[in-house]
Amino acid sequence: METILLVEDEEALQYFLRQELTFEGYKVISAYDGQEALALYQVHQGEIGAIILDWMLPKKDGITVLKEIRQTTQLLPILLMTARTELDDKVLGLNKGADDYITKPFKIEELLARLHTALRRLANIQQNQVEKTIYQFADITLNTSTHRVERAGQKINLTRREFDLLATLMKHSGQVLSRDELFDLVWGVDFAGQYNTVDVYIRHLRQKLALDKQAELIWTERGVGYVLREDETN
């Protein structure tokens, strides 16, 4: 159940929107002025999924509230409601960080559709962010968020440097990386270790990935470097 922070000072409209949103399955937190809205946002920041925000509010107007919230998050969907109809007003609201703009009076179906679209857009962004933390190659899965590596469902314990080396190879799978490139990508350009350091770590990584004599995945291109691929002929 998504939690919506509804900020509207007109009591009749506040009540109507709260009822409609609740009927649609949303949990609603209500505020009647900008100062209260910011206080509720601070308390419930971790659970609020979207904000429906009136422009003309007592104490702090909607644009001020919008600007202050955008200092803490750029992803939270914020729909701005207003009776202002001028194009310049719409542009101002969007430029200050509103995801969408709805002009009063409006049909509740339009507001619900815009809210649904904004929430779906956020879900897609979050899903893409999650996917970027997980890399898959053959039967190996590497999660950069949990620092967990599995091969064929079995956990593989790697040192931090071995993990970084495998992550680099997986991000560049199919691409031959020279020792110098691996030094730069894994150890950093200022690394002053021995030249065979990459070879040593590659050997350790191969041994750990072998598990039950599973297929080799890290191949040596003599005189060039190393590459992650499923067989030597590809």
Side-chain angles (χ1 to χ4, degrees), residues 46 53 56 66-67 79 81 104 110 153 211:
L53 177 65
M56 302 302 293
L66 176 62
K67 288 166 61 179
L79 278 65
M81 300 185 298
K104 297 178 180 178
E110 181 183 3
L211 289 179

Side-chain angles (χ1 to χ4, degrees), residues 100-112:
D100 206 344
Y101 186 108
I102 188 164
T103 304
K104 297 178 180 178
F106 52 80
K107 297 287 187 181
I108 186 61
E109 292 82 5
E110 181 183 3
L111 176 64
L112 292 172

Side-chain angles (χ1 to χ4, degrees), residues 44 47 51 58 63 91 97 133 173 184 225:
H44 300 279
E47 62 181 283
I51 298 176
I63 293 296
V91 170
T133 68
S173 61
D184 291 347

Side-chain angles (χ1 to χ4, degrees), residues 38-49:
L38 289 171
L40 286 173
Y41 172 74
Q42 291 298 326
V43 173
H44 300 279
Q45 187 172 350
E47 62 181 283
I48 293 173

Side-chain angles (χ1 to χ4, degrees), residues 73-220:
T73 176
Q74 293 297 317
L75 292 180
L76 183 66
I78 301 178
L79 278 65
L80 194 61
M81 300 185 298
T82 181
R84 296 170 180 259
T85 59
E86 295 297 323
L87 178 61
D88 288 347
D89 293 325
K90 294 182 180 181
V91 170
L92 174 63
L94 294 172
N95 284 342
K96 293 301 181 182
D99 291 273
D100 206 344
Y101 186 108
I102 188 164
T103 304
K104 297 178 180 178
F106 52 80
K107 297 287 187 181
I108 186 61
E109 292 82 5
E110 181 183 3
L111 176 64
L112 292 172
R114 290 174 181 270
L115 176 61
H116 179 71
T117 298
L119 289 169
R120 186 174 64 237
R121 184 164 56 243
L122 174 62
N124 289 337
I125 292 172
Q126 292 173 330
Q127 180 64 28
N128 288 336
Q129 289 178 337
V130 170
E131 289 173 353
K132 289 179 182 178
T133 68
I134 300 174
Y135 292 86
Q136 181 80 39
F137 183 84
D139 55 356
I140 298 176
T141 301
L142 180 145
N143 190 316
T144 60
S145 177
T146 62
H147 282 259
R148 184 181 179 92
V149 176
E150 294 181 356
R151 184 164 193 188
Q154 296 185 57
K155 183 180 178 182
I156 300 174
N157 294 314
L158 300 179
T159 66
R160 177 58 186 264
R161 195 68 76 183
E162 290 166 349
F163 181 93
D164 291 344
L165 177 58
L166 178 60
T168 299
L169 290 169
M170 292 184 74
K171 290 174 184 178
H172 299 84
S173 61
Q175 177 184 345
V176 179
L177 297 174
S178 69
R179 288 180 179 83
D180 288 337
E181 288 174 321
L182 288 171
F183 268 132
D184 291 347
L185 293 169
V186 179
W187 282 267
V189 293
D190 295 326
F191 179 71
Q194 296 180 337
Y195 191 66
N196 69 340
T197 299
V198 171
D199 304 322
V200 172
Y201 274 87
I202 288 287
R203 184 169 66 250
H204 292 167
L205 196 52
R206 280 171 168 162
Q207 291 170 350
K208 292 187 176 183
L209 292 177
L211 289 179
D212 301 321
K213 298 182 179 180
Q214 287 168 290
E216 179 65 69
L217 293 175
I218 301 175
W219 298 96
T220 303

